[in-house]
Structure formats: structure tokens, C-alpha cells
Amino acid sequence: MKVKESRKALEGLDEAQLKTKLAEARADLFNLRFKHATGQLEKSAELPAARREVARILTYLTKKGA
């Protein structure tokens, strides 16, 4: 998913949906870290992209809470 599409998708979500997305993104990040540690991660660019996705969701959660 491209960044602009991701941003638009996140803007329309409420706080509960963002928390669900955050849990999914953190689980995905955990799995990617595990694959990286065991040498099974094929695309190393997925790891920083997953971290950015978690940060992006946290940013939108902060905006909604303020």
C-alpha cells in the first residue's frame, strides 16, 4: 500500500479501529523481526516499512486523543 493511500485509509478510522490496526501492525512487526533473526526474511525493506506503519498509526491515535 502506498503512503498516500495508507494515510487516507487511517484518517477515516475511529479510535477503536486504529487500536485494532495498531495491534495488527505490531504483530506483523514482531513476525518480521522473528523472520529476520532466523534468516528467513527475503525482503529486508519490509522491516523499516512495518516500523513506519506502527509510527504512523500511533501518530493518528495521538491526533484523535488530543
Side-chain angles (χ1 to χ4, degrees):
M1 182 179 285
K2 294 186 178 183
V3 174
K4 286 185 180 181
E5 294 171 359
S6 175
R7 288 181 186 162
K8 287 183 180 183
L10 290 175
E11 285 177 1
L13 300 178
D14 63 356
E15 191 172 343
Q17 291 171 326
L18 282 171
K19 287 182 180 182
T20 303
K21 282 266 193 196
L22 179 62
E24 292 171 1
R26 283 185 169 161
D28 185 39
L29 180 59
F30 174 79
N31 289 332
L32 287 173
R33 284 181 178 158
F34 193 83
K35 285 182 181 180
H36 179 67
T38 59
Q40 296 175 353
L41 186 62
E42 293 179 13
K43 295 180 182 178
S44 60
E46 291 178 356
L47 200 54
R51 278 193 291 248
R52 281 192 299 272
E53 185 66 22
V54 169
R56 191 174 293 121
I57 294 169
L58 285 171
T59 300
Y60 278 101
L61 270 172
T62 303
K63 284 183 183 180
K64 297 278 182 181

